[in-house]
Amino acid sequence: ARLNPQSLPRLSEAVARPAYERGRVTPGIVHLGIGAFHRAHQAAVTDLAMAVSGDLSWGIVGVSLRSPDTRDALAPQHGLYTLALRDAGPDGQPREQLRVIGSLLEVLVAPENPGAVLERIAHPQIRIVSLTVTEKGYSLEPATGQLRWDDPDIRHDLAHPARPRSAIGMLARGLALRRERGLGPLTLLSCDNLHANGDTLRRLVLAYALLQDAGLAAWIDGNCTFPNSMVDRIVPRTREEDRARVSERLGVDDAWPVVGEPYLNWVIEDRFAAGRPAWDAAAGVSFVRRAAPYERLKLRMVNGPHSAFAYLGAMLGLRTNSEAAATPALRGYVDDMLRLEVAPTLRGMPQATLDEYRQRFLARVANPALPHLTQQIAMDGSQKVPQRLLAVIRDRLRRGEGFSRLALAVAAWLHYLRGRDEQGQAYAIQDPLAAALEELLARADAAAASASPGRAAHRRALVVAGYKPVFGKLAGQPAFVDALAEHLERLRTLGVLGTLAALERDAA
Ligand code: NAD
């Protein structure tokens, strides 16, 4: 039997289920990017908020801008799916809590029918449009945060506004319809790991709208809010064995459960144009006036080190970040990076808070019950490295402070882009700028080959750091180029563990 509203009463006792009358839920939210993360984070919080508050007007219409896979799996289940929260118990064995989530009402596949998505966005019941479309889904240039007018999807949408492919094109068209229909205000809520995600989304939507119709841009400015938010929960991609295990425990088949850690954090600016669910009924969720300090804390103390573990771990041939965190030299390096280089940039945060946050992060990554693949975290580096690592380096440079551990994480990304680990195993580079990066590394190699042996490493780093879409103004910083040159050379000649040992010796 399949998980669906009829089979709910038959589930095993230990499984939590929607504590409200699901048939009475009406849509209030359109969510673009119905991936694993949204289902394990915002949708789960919305489910709880509806149960606690009794306000059932916040059902979610999920939208995939790419693949039909989520819709195909969940349509026969009427949107129901299981959230499995996993960690290791005191005995080191995995333990797991199951909960069926009822807040997702339907899933639309935009490439099949973009018009249906636009109709939902321009529906009077919809008061929030939220997003988790990954960093690259914003069509922005990483170094500047400005819209990339040469992005193929953006160019397509400008030419065919009624059949948008990009998230920005979809939002702009949906908002234009709301304006034409005289509908009320709307909140657009980015839940991606971007610096100032709400402000960024607002800038991109307004820039795009302005090019088409100044009146539309003015309407958006007057009727829509774009709260910034910080989101946190580790949610790896669901594996076949997760599906099998969860279905076995439920007693019915769930074609696509999601798996995450028990920890959850969501800090949202309380600027909603047309109301919001009582999300703060859930533990770990709070509404604030300014999210910037929390967002910076999370990008720098969680996402940055996630990437460092992923790049160095992948090159060592490690499959998961928990294996990377269990490698003493790697864990020691990341701990030092956070304690000595990252935490001091988070001015205004009490030392004790930072220490606790760092220790909890290290414990969370180490969770052996949650295999988060190094290769999944490593993807799209060009979109992630700027706000996770380069922003911190710029901060420290400005104050004349050292950043050699942070620079190693950046060098690790560049070294990773060579596509082969230390065991000689090849892997594919997934990045929207992959072709440009490949060309860049080839140019850097050529420059190094034509330089005198003593200058080769520096020439290589100079060419790499000159890549403006990612490094921006850091290109012209000699201290940054020097640090990159040293780490890249060490990674090439000494390998990951040798490089970490050399860094230790430098610090002694
Ligand atoms: P996912 O790959 O499961 O889902 C991503 C969604 O984005 C899918 O619906 C996909 O169709 C869509 N998408 C992919 N490329 C796109 C593009 N170019 N344009 C528009 N949409 C596109 O990933 P996920 O685990 O759900 O994570 C999504 C995002 O959520 C992350 O990139 C990050 O910003 C945020 N997040 C994730 C985690 C996590 O642990 N997974 C934690 C914090 C924040």
Side-chain angles (χ1 to χ4, degrees), residues 33-37 65-66 132-135 137 192-193 233-235:
I34 184 77
F37 181 63
L65 291 161
R66 292 284 178 275
T132 51
V133 291
T134 78
E135 293 87 341
D192 279 293
N193 291 324
R233 168 170 266 174
I234 297 177
V235 184

Side-chain angles (χ1 to χ4, degrees), residues 33-38 63-67 132-137 153 165 167 191-193 231-237 298 303 372 376:
I34 184 77
F37 181 63
H38 173 73
V63 176
S64 170
L65 291 161
R66 292 284 178 275
S67 153
T132 51
V133 291
T134 78
E135 293 87 341
K136 65 182 172 299
D153 287 345
R165 282 183 190 160
C191 298
D192 279 293
N193 291 324
V231 292
D232 199 4
R233 168 170 266 174
I234 297 177
V235 184
R237 198 167 287 151
K298 197 267 178 164
N303 296 120
H372 204 188
Q376 186 188 349

Side-chain angles (χ1 to χ4, degrees), residues 340-341 344-345 392-402:
L340 301 171
E341 296 184 4
T345 69
V392 200
I393 291 178
R394 274 203 311 275
D395 246 33
R396 293 192 62 87
L397 256 172
R398 208 175 302 127
R399 298 175 163 252
E401 295 161 347

Side-chain angles (χ1 to χ4, degrees), residues 31-147:
H31 183 81
L32 305 184
I34 184 77
F37 181 63
H38 173 73
R39 292 203 282 140
H41 191 276
Q42 302 103 64
V45 173
T46 304
D47 178 80
L48 193 102
M50 289 199 290
V52 171
S53 69
D55 178 356
L56 302 184
S57 67
W58 295 109
I60 299 169
V61 177
V63 176
S64 170
L65 291 161
R66 292 284 178 275
S67 153
D69 50 12
T70 306
R71 190 267 323 267
D72 294 347
L74 300 191
Q77 302 178 183
H78 299 258
L80 293 175
Y81 63 90
T82 315
L83 170 62
L85 298 183
R86 281 171 74 79
D87 64 358
D91 56 356
Q93 291 306 307
R95 51 181 187 186
E96 180 174 69
Q97 285 176 334
L98 301 185
R99 175 172 148 214
V100 173
I101 304 297
S103 52
L104 182 63
L105 298 180
E106 63 171 340
V107 178
L108 304 176
V109 180
E112 289 177 6
N113 188 354
V117 180
L118 294 170
E119 280 305 315
R120 296 305 192 288
I121 294 176
H123 193 283
Q125 282 180 318
I126 297 302
R127 286 154 290 155
I128 295 175
V129 176
S130 53
L131 299 89
T132 51
V133 291
T134 78
E135 293 87 341
K136 65 182 172 299
Y138 290 79
S139 317
L140 53 71
E141 181 168 288
T144 60
Q146 302 296 330
L147 190 65

